[in-house]
Amino acid sequence: MPEQQQITLESVKNYIKELTPKKDLLYIIQPCSVGDFFYTGGLSLAVQKRKNKRATVLIVKDRMKNLGVTYKNFEDIVYIPNDTMNIVMQYFYVSGDYEGDNYIYGHFHKPTQGGNFIWDETLHLIDRYKKDVFKIPMDTPYAKPVVPKISNENIAELHEKYIIDKNRTIIITPYTHSTKQLDMRFWMFLSMVLMEKNYIVYTNVDGISEQAVPGTAPITTNMRELYYIADKVNCFIGGRVGIFDFLAMTDARTFTINTFPDWLWDVSELYPHFNNHSFFNAIDYVQPATNYFKEKDVSAQIKLSHSHIKNEDIVYSYEEIFNKVLNGVININ
């Protein structure tokens, strides 16, 4: 990629040509997160067939290097620097040149004059990918990734490093990047209570900048190791992050805390057979109304409903989230 002061639409267009040299391959440029990696991979074979290509090359950010998984129709996965990918993403938004003979931009489009994503709001996220990103049939099957087995030595290392107990081990994932994180004090209190009840609590961390919730131990795995661990621990609890898209392809048990009313990427909606229970945090959503009533010295109880969300899964306070998650964990034993 040329130096930043030399960047033009033409220079980025030429860079994309360099990234996508082979005419018999489909290059999918996926600029976003772990979850988007799986949505793209899971639908890529249908896109490849639509474009009449021999195989697929996925182009993603450097931060995806340690995932350790692929798909049967992938010939390669190419990693480019995060800053470069951001420039490429802006090129597509400005130029509107989202698809060529042997490439396709693997995320949602925006109007060239700027604005929100162009998508069908009646559909959940994977179906929006089918319709609005890849233009493939709505009944396209969603393929699972290829996850190579880890070695016996790797398994022994995991068991030496972590306590992997089907009844007692719980892994929490408090760090989210696409949605607002819950207050860290919530995770501290939940972990403390779980440990008082004789559970072993680990915090999933990236091994770089994230820290374990105080009182818990850190756990860092690649996807292959996570695949092995998934059904050998009690459960996973976390904010809505891409790791849950991967766990949905395992026999794991999970609890996810979404931001109300963001049902479109709820893992129970995307993967209805997955052993997951979703809760929807409406604390911030109702806060303006709560403050208004408080200013007026009015006592009011706010209750929300949504066509894609069960009323009992909408929560209005940290105490309520805590109680529902804790009861869910205890009741699965």
Side-chain angles (χ1 to χ4, degrees):
M1 194 75 183
E3 295 295 325
Q4 190 153 350
Q5 65 268 21
Q6 300 173 328
I7 292 174
T8 63
L9 285 178
E10 191 64 26
S11 67
V12 180
K13 184 176 182 179
N14 289 333
Y15 175 69
I16 292 170
K17 286 181 180 179
E18 292 172 5
L19 278 176
T20 60
K22 296 183 179 180
K23 297 303 179 183
D24 62 336
L25 297 178
L26 169 65
Y27 296 86
I28 302 180
I29 301 170
Q30 171 49 258
C32 295
S33 64
V34 172
D36 298 278
F37 176 98
F38 292 115
Y39 309 144
T40 301
L43 300 173
S44 61
L45 181 58
V47 191
Q48 177 186 313
K49 289 180 178 178
R50 175 170 77 80
K51 301 291 285 182
N52 194 29
K53 301 302 179 183
R54 176 178 59 80
T56 294
V57 174
L58 186 64
I59 301 172
V60 293
K61 292 181 179 180
D62 273 340
R63 63 185 292 264
M64 302 293 173
K65 277 185 177 177
N66 295 326
L67 287 185
V69 300
T70 188
Y71 285 83
K72 289 181 179 178
N73 60 304
F74 280 11
E75 179 159 298
D76 197 9
I77 302 176
V78 175
Y79 305 93
I80 64 176
N82 293 356
D83 290 344
T84 301
M85 181 64 86
N86 290 336
I87 293 169
V88 170
M89 179 172 60
Q90 292 304 317
Y91 165 82
F92 286 113
Y93 291 157
V94 172
S95 70
D97 187 24
Y98 289 105
E99 183 172 342
D101 171 67
N102 68 332
Y103 75 84
I104 187 168
Y105 178 68
H107 199 249
F108 296 97
H109 305 177
K110 287 186 176 183
T112 53
Q113 68 272 22
N116 296 325
F117 289 129
I118 300 170
W119 58 23
D120 187 337
E121 294 192 356
T122 67
L123 302 174
H124 64 56
L125 194 58
I126 292 176
D127 281 350
R128 293 184 192 192
Y129 260 93
K130 293 177 184 178
K131 180 179 179 180
D132 298 314
V133 176
F134 294 133
K135 298 174 177 59
I136 54 178
M138 297 306 292
D139 61 354
T140 296
Y142 185 67
K144 291 184 177 182
V146 176
V147 186
K149 290 184 178 180
I150 59 175
S151 66
N152 291 334
E153 290 78 12
N154 199 173
I155 291 173
E157 289 172 0
L158 287 171
H159 283 274
E160 183 176 349
K161 191 173 183 179
Y162 307 114
I163 300 172
I164 303 173
D165 187 300
K166 180 67 176 176
N167 295 316
R168 298 172 58 214
T169 302
I170 293 175
I171 299 175
I172 61 173
T173 63
Y175 297 105
T176 59
H177 303 284
S178 300
T179 59
K180 184 178 179 180
Q181 295 182 14
L182 292 176
D183 192 308
M184 191 55 66
R185 289 172 293 183
F186 166 81
W187 295 108
M188 291 171 64
F189 187 66
L190 177 64
S191 300
M192 179 185 70
V193 173
L194 287 171
M195 289 185 288
E196 286 177 351
K197 293 182 178 297
N198 203 35
Y199 291 101
I200 301 157
V201 183
Y202 289 100
T203 302
N204 182 68
V205 296
D206 61 8
I208 303 171
S209 59
E210 298 170 350
Q211 301 297 317
V213 170
T216 73
I219 184 169
T220 304
T221 63
N222 59 38
M223 291 297 178
R224 294 171 60 193
E225 294 169 334
L226 185 63
Y227 192 81
Y228 169 79
I229 290 173
D231 64 348
K232 296 175 178 62
V233 299
N234 184 294
C235 65
F236 295 77
I237 308 168
R240 180 59 175 99
V241 290
I243 190 177
F244 287 97
D245 292 281
F246 182 72
L247 290 172
M249 302 169 211
T250 73
D251 292 325
R253 298 187 291 192
T254 67
F255 298 88
T256 52
I257 304 166
N258 302 311
T259 302
F260 183 88
D262 294 337
W263 66 275
L264 76 158
W265 47 59
D266 172 29
V267 289
S268 292
E269 185 85 21
L270 300 179
Y271 314 100
H273 302 296
F274 179 33
N275 190 359
N276 170 74
H277 194 140
S278 297
F279 302 105
F280 288 81
N281 169 20
I283 297 171
D284 291 340
Y285 194 85
V286 301
Q287 195 65 53
T290 302
N291 292 340
Y292 175 81
F293 288 129
K294 189 175 181 180
E295 289 173 3
K296 301 298 182 182
D297 198 26
V298 174
S299 178
Q301 185 178 34
I302 301 173
K303 291 293 181 182
L304 303 171
S305 64
H306 193 286
S307 58
H308 288 278
I309 302 171
K310 295 177 181 177
N311 289 345
E312 60 267 27
D313 292 334
I314 304 173
V315 288
Y316 302 90
S317 68
Y318 276 103
E319 180 181 8
E320 189 178 4
I321 299 173
F322 168 81
N323 288 330
K324 285 182 176 289
V325 171
L326 185 63
N327 289 337
V329 171
I330 291 171
N331 289 336
I332 65 176
N333 289 330

